[in-house]
Amino acid sequence: MLLFLLLLFPVSLVLYFLFAREKKFSLVVFIGFFTGILVCAIQFIVSYAHRLIPDSFFQNYFYYFIKLSLLPMLLVPAGFCVLSKNTWEYKAKAIFPLMASFYAVYLPYYIMSMTDSRYSLYDISLRPLIYLAMIIQISYSAKRLVYCIQEDNKSQKLKNIILIIVYMLFPAFADTCFAALKMIYIACVLSFGYLAYSGLCLKKEYKLLKNE
């Protein structure tokens, strides 16, 4: 049951290195895995994993958003950018291998530690796909953002900042709908649209790689 959840991010990293041929990011993957293990170890030691789901939609939303989207996608790349002496273009390109390797550890740990009975189909299939899509979309827009900053294109710069925020906001919405069993059909439709859009980002990324 857990095979898809455990293998999705590692397989996506293998495909990334096959198509992108970016061997220089091997160390980045190690940093992401190590950071994921470190964060999970700290959470295991200092916090109690099981949580009663409240009735409040917004309380659930902010919990999932902060714990699974905002803090990881903000603190891990920020720490990497502070410590790395490379160019901003390199740092933007490193977001996907860094965060895919981090979530390869962090997301399965979170799901397994929060589940005390049976795993839902959402947790072991759709949820990891949504978080992978988030990383793909944010990675693509981050690279476009760096390019727009270099070209001093203010309108496109603002557009990519807004897109990054929107990409980060959606997974918590889907998590909340499925956890509270509310608006599930709406969440399903939006989730598949979200995944489809990440596929378009991948297609654009592949075209850019072919032209390099």
Side-chain angles (χ1 to χ4, degrees), residues 77-92:
F80 176 77
C81 288
V82 169
L83 296 174
S84 175
K85 303 300 181 183
N86 291 289
T87 64
W88 282 104
E89 185 179 359
Y90 176 92
K91 292 172 183 178

Side-chain angles (χ1 to χ4, degrees), residues 121-137:
L121 186 61
Y122 172 74
D123 279 336
I124 61 175
S125 57
L126 187 55
R127 193 180 207 173
L129 281 171
I130 288 172
Y131 279 91
L132 178 61
M134 176 186 71
I135 298 169
I136 290 170
Q137 291 165 177

Side-chain angles (χ1 to χ4, degrees), residues 17 30 58 65 86 138 149-150 155 166 182 187 192 194 211:
F17 281 105
F30 173 78
F58 291 103
F65 174 65
N86 291 289
I138 290 176
I149 292 172
Q150 292 172 344
S155 62
V166 172
K182 296 177 180 178
F192 286 116
Y194 189 77
N211 293 331

Side-chain angles (χ1 to χ4, degrees), residues 145 148 153-163:
L145 177 60
C148 292
N153 189 330
K154 293 181 180 179
S155 62
Q156 288 298 311
K157 181 167 59 175
L158 179 62
K159 173 188 171 183
N160 282 287
I161 291 172
I162 293 171
L163 284 174

Side-chain angles (χ1 to χ4, degrees), residues 73-151:
M73 291 302 304
L74 185 65
L75 296 183
V76 177
F80 176 77
C81 288
V82 169
L83 296 174
S84 175
K85 303 300 181 183
N86 291 289
T87 64
W88 282 104
E89 185 179 359
Y90 176 92
K91 292 172 183 178
K93 287 183 177 180
I95 288 177
F96 179 80
L98 177 70
M99 297 312 299
S101 54
F102 175 84
Y103 276 96
V105 179
Y106 184 67
L107 190 62
Y109 169 79
Y110 173 81
I111 290 172
M112 289 187 283
S113 64
M114 291 293 290
T115 306
D116 55 4
S117 56
R118 291 188 304 173
Y119 298 102
S120 70
L121 186 61
Y122 172 74
D123 279 336
I124 61 175
S125 57
L126 187 55
R127 193 180 207 173
L129 281 171
I130 288 172
Y131 279 91
L132 178 61
M134 176 186 71
I135 298 169
I136 290 170
Q137 291 165 177
I138 290 176
S139 172
Y140 177 76
S141 287
K143 284 179 273 192
R144 298 300 303 163
L145 177 60
V146 170
Y147 175 78
C148 292
I149 292 172
Q150 292 172 344
E151 297 294 316

